[in-house]
């Protein structure tokens, strides 16, 4: 039996409100390890990044109730991205890269680019299909699954 594994890591990015960012990150739930957050000074400003093993499940109003199994509301990943986009500094972006695999049966990667009030999401399969299409290859004739 194979284990399904995921790893998540963001780029460094800037925010407009440090307190809102810190509060937002307190509400993020992951499926395995806790979310690690890193800060570093760059150009006299604080740049932030985060990551975890397992997946980021999303935002939850009451993380303590979730951990105590008292909360039956599912974490909302899209809401997390939306709240993050509201505090991303102009000219900055948070690039969230996710790698998922199940031995060699399934391998995929995802990217969420969170910009000020805009979010664009993609995955390796879509990127591969677009590359094939741009180069005259019928992507429907290429077997991507194992």
């Amino acid at each position: 039996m194979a284990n399904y594994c995921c790893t998540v890591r963001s780029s460094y990015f800037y925010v407009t409100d440090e307190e809102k960012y810190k509060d937002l990150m307190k509400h993020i739930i992951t499926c395995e390890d806790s979310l690690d957050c890193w800060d570093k000074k760059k150009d006299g400003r604080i740049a932030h990044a985060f990551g975890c093993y397992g997946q980021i499940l999303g935002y939850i109003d009451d993380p303590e109730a979730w951990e105590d199994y008292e909360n039956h509301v599912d974490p909302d990943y899209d809401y997390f991205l939306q709240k993050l986009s509201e505090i991303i500094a102009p000219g900055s972006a948070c690039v969230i890269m996710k790698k998922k695999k199940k031995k060699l049966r399934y391998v995929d990667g995802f990217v969420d680019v969170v910009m000020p009030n805009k979010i664009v999401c993609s995955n390796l399969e879509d990127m591969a299909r677009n590359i094939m299409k741009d180069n005259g290859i019928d992507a429907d004739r290429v077997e991507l699954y194992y």
Side-chain angles (χ1 to χ4, degrees), residues 44-98:
R45 300 166 64 191
I46 299 173
H48 302 282
F50 55 84
C52 68
Y53 293 104
Q55 291 180 281
I56 295 175
L57 299 177
Y59 181 95
I60 197 89
D61 282 328
D62 189 349
E64 289 180 18
W66 170 264
E67 290 179 14
D68 293 338
Y69 302 103
E70 296 172 10
N71 190 333
H72 299 290
V73 177
D74 289 333
D76 189 334
Y77 186 75
D78 292 337
Y79 186 74
F80 160 58
L81 295 181
Q82 175 197 343
K83 296 304 282 180
L84 184 58
S85 76
E86 292 171 5
I87 58 172
I88 294 288
S92 187
C94 174
V95 178
I96 303 169
M97 294 173 277
K98 299 174 270 189

Side-chain angles (χ1 to χ4, degrees), residues 3-6 99-104 106-108:
N3 290 335
Y4 186 74
C5 301
C6 182
K99 176 214 42 115
K100 298 179 180 184
K101 70 180 183 78
K102 185 172 184 178
K103 287 205 170 190
L104 292 177
Y106 309 102
V107 177
D108 204 353

Side-chain angles (χ1 to χ4, degrees), residues 79-145:
Y79 186 74
F80 160 58
L81 295 181
Q82 175 197 343
K83 296 304 282 180
L84 184 58
S85 76
E86 292 171 5
I87 58 172
I88 294 288
S92 187
C94 174
V95 178
I96 303 169
M97 294 173 277
K98 299 174 270 189
K99 176 214 42 115
K100 298 179 180 184
K101 70 180 183 78
K102 185 172 184 178
K103 287 205 170 190
L104 292 177
R105 291 186 190 132
Y106 309 102
V107 177
D108 204 353
F110 301 83
V111 63
D112 302 325
V113 181
V114 183
M115 300 162 277
N117 297 305
K118 184 174 184 178
I119 302 160
V120 177
C121 303
S122 191
N123 64 45
L124 288 177
E125 180 182 341
D126 290 344
M127 290 181 220
R129 289 185 183 281
N130 287 334
I131 291 168
M132 287 184 272
K133 180 182 172 187
D134 291 346
N135 288 281
I137 297 170
D138 181 359
D140 293 332
R141 301 192 76 189
V142 176
E143 188 173 338
L144 294 175
Y145 300 103

